[in-house]
Amino acid sequence: MNIKKGDRLKIECYKHNGYLDRTSDEATVIYVDQNVLIVANNHTKLTEHDGKSHTTNEPAVLFFYKKKWYNIIGQLKKNGLFYYCNIATPYIIDGLTIKYIDYDLDLRVFPDGGFKILDRNEYRYHKKIMHYTKELDMIIENSLQELIELKKRGEGPFKPNVVNEYFNKFKEIEKSKEEIDW
């Protein structure tokens, strides 16, 4: 299926062992090419593996890559732009669903530019019990370093105003859909 601007997709996040870890109800396609899929949502429902769900508190712009082992979420919070970056497989599209495998390690970037690596213990635990190969471990560690360098250089989604520009495009798409739905 060809995904195009304005399409609404679901997101499914899996673990290495194939278990569905988290789902997101809705994301609107803002941009897509052979390398990247950019979607956005606002106050969307997230359902965790235990069945509990909650609604996100803020709008977000999500960057998924075809050849990169991470995805990046720009969160437009009241107190600034935060990023939550997942070390994860490149995405695939299955019907109207974005799917990827999450490998626990995350990079949290704060509005002041500072950042923190999250969930190292969870990664080590899953690496042991799910028997990640040395090759997979190397891909994951290299991807984390690539992501940190991308952030330090202020490139890609970390480039000033990129997230806001895509969020404005999202609002335009949503507004045009509302006008059509009358």
Side-chain angles (χ1 to χ4, degrees), residues 89-101:
T89 59
Y91 79 94
I92 63 166
I93 295 290
D94 183 6
L96 290 174
T97 305
I98 302 166
K99 295 183 176 183
Y100 65 92
I101 298 171

Side-chain angles (χ1 to χ4, degrees), residues 59-147:
V61 177
L62 301 85
F63 300 79
F64 293 96
Y65 299 92
K66 275 284 190 193
K67 298 177 184 170
K68 302 288 184 184
W69 280 67
Y70 50 78
N71 56 63
I72 300 171
I73 304 166
Q75 300 169 306
L76 295 150
K77 295 180 176 272
K78 288 178 183 169
N79 54 342
L81 176 60
F82 289 76
Y83 293 90
Y84 198 90
C85 311
N86 298 295
I87 300 301
T89 59
Y91 79 94
I92 63 166
I93 295 290
D94 183 6
L96 290 174
T97 305
I98 302 166
K99 295 183 176 183
Y100 65 92
I101 298 171
D102 178 73
Y103 282 100
D104 305 314
L105 286 177
D106 301 308
L107 184 71
R108 184 71 163 147
V109 180
F110 304 96
D112 67 2
F115 64 90
K116 183 177 183 180
I117 298 169
L118 305 175
D119 302 327
R120 276 221 183 262
N121 289 337
E122 184 179 357
Y123 173 72
R124 287 186 196 112
Y125 173 72
H126 284 147
K127 176 179 157 180
K128 183 177 178 180
I129 68 166
M130 294 186 209
H131 309 288
Y132 297 174
T133 64
K134 287 182 183 179
E135 180 185 39
L136 179 58
D137 186 48
M138 190 167 40
I139 290 169
I140 291 166
E141 290 293 339
N142 288 341
S143 295
L144 178 61
Q145 291 310 310
E146 180 182 328
L147 187 59

